[in-house]
């Protein structure tokens, strides 16, 4: 029991974890399931383990710093064992304008490496980058319009970074 508690505390000392993540670590370290259940229950009671707070922190981090959209964050929450109801509540708190700004920041960063490409190639690549990061199609379209402009024939990319 003490070894299992130490394993759990060591895991939580490095970063917050979901209940499922902690159970998986203990299972890999051959902690019996009944002992793992007891530790998870106790840690939840005292507030060391809280899936809702974990989901809130992960969502804030991913949307603000990792520049990810709702769909990608939802996948990550699901992979970490966060219940659908908790994920829905947390994702509903993401401001659509903040999500759009994150997509715009990402697009401006990535466009630097696409200078010299034909517009349709840059547009296709950038759309893929934004979609893989989980941004909705309406945000992708809006950001592409702003970064590349509406006239994207065969000329090379000349875009505005918004900086002057």
């Amino acid at each position: 029991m003490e070894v299992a508690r130490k394993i759990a505390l060591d895991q939580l000392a490095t970063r917050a974890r979901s209940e499922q993540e902690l159970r998986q670590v203990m299972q890999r370290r051959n902690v019996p399931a009944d002992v793992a259940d007891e530790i998870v229950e106790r840690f939840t009671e005292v507030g060391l383990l809280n899936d809702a707070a974990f989901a809130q922190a992960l969502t804030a981090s991913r949307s603000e710093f990792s520049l990810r959209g709702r769909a990608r964050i939802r996948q990550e929450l699901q992979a970490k064992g966060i219940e659908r109801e908790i994920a829905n509540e947390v994702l509903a708190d993401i401001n659509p304008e903040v999500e759009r700004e994150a997509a715009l920041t990402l697009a401006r960063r990535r466009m630097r490496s696409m200078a010299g490409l034909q517009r349709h190639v840059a547009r296709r690549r950038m759309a893929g980058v934004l979609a893989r990061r989980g941004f909705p199609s309406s945000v992708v379209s809006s950001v592409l319009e702003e970064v590349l402009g509406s006239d994207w024939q065969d000329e090379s990319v000349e875009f505005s970074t918004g900086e002057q």
Side-chain angles (χ1 to χ4, degrees):
M1 181 71 153
E2 274 311 303
V3 172
R5 185 187 333 264
K6 174 132 177 51
I7 290 169
L9 286 172
D10 287 348
Q11 290 297 309
L12 292 171
T14 57
R15 70 169 175 84
R17 307 219 181 244
S18 69
E19 191 177 305
Q20 177 181 309
E21 285 181 302
L22 192 57
R23 287 181 190 279
Q24 288 172 342
V25 167
M26 289 194 288
Q27 182 181 20
R28 282 194 306 268
R29 302 282 298 272
N30 298 319
V31 173
D34 60 330
V35 174
D37 289 342
E38 190 175 328
I39 287 174
V40 166
E41 184 179 322
R42 179 69 181 134
F43 281 21
T44 302
E45 285 174 11
V46 298
L48 290 173
L49 201 55
N50 182 336
D51 277 358
F54 171 78
Q56 183 69 43
L58 183 117
T59 300
S61 169
R62 297 307 190 257
S63 66
E64 293 173 30
F65 304 113
S66 298
L67 305 176
R68 294 188 181 145
R70 291 172 206 253
R72 180 76 182 270
I73 297 169
R74 180 181 303 281
Q75 288 174 340
E76 194 168 346
L77 290 171
Q78 183 180 355
K80 292 182 181 298
I82 301 300
E83 293 178 14
R84 183 182 305 264
E85 297 80 29
I86 293 172
N88 288 341
E89 286 176 24
V90 170
L91 292 170
D93 291 341
I94 296 176
N95 182 332
E97 194 54 40
V98 170
E99 186 175 35
R100 186 184 182 288
E101 283 301 314
L104 191 56
T105 300
L106 176 63
R108 286 180 175 147
R109 269 188 213 161
R110 291 292 177 98
M111 284 307 297
R112 293 181 190 127
S113 66
M114 295 185 192
L117 293 177
Q118 293 179 335
R119 278 193 193 274
H120 70 281
V121 174
R123 185 177 184 84
R124 184 183 70 236
R125 288 184 185 176
M126 184 54 59
V129 166
L130 294 171
R132 284 188 298 277
R133 285 287 182 108
F135 294 104
S137 60
S138 60
V139 170
V140 171
S141 298
S142 154
V143 166
L144 289 175
E145 178 79 24
E146 185 168 334
V147 173
L148 289 171
S150 59
D151 184 25
W152 53 277
Q153 299 305 314
D154 283 333
E155 63 273 354
S156 293
V157 174
E158 292 176 24
F159 61 94
S160 168
T161 61
E163 301 167 0
Q164 297 188 356

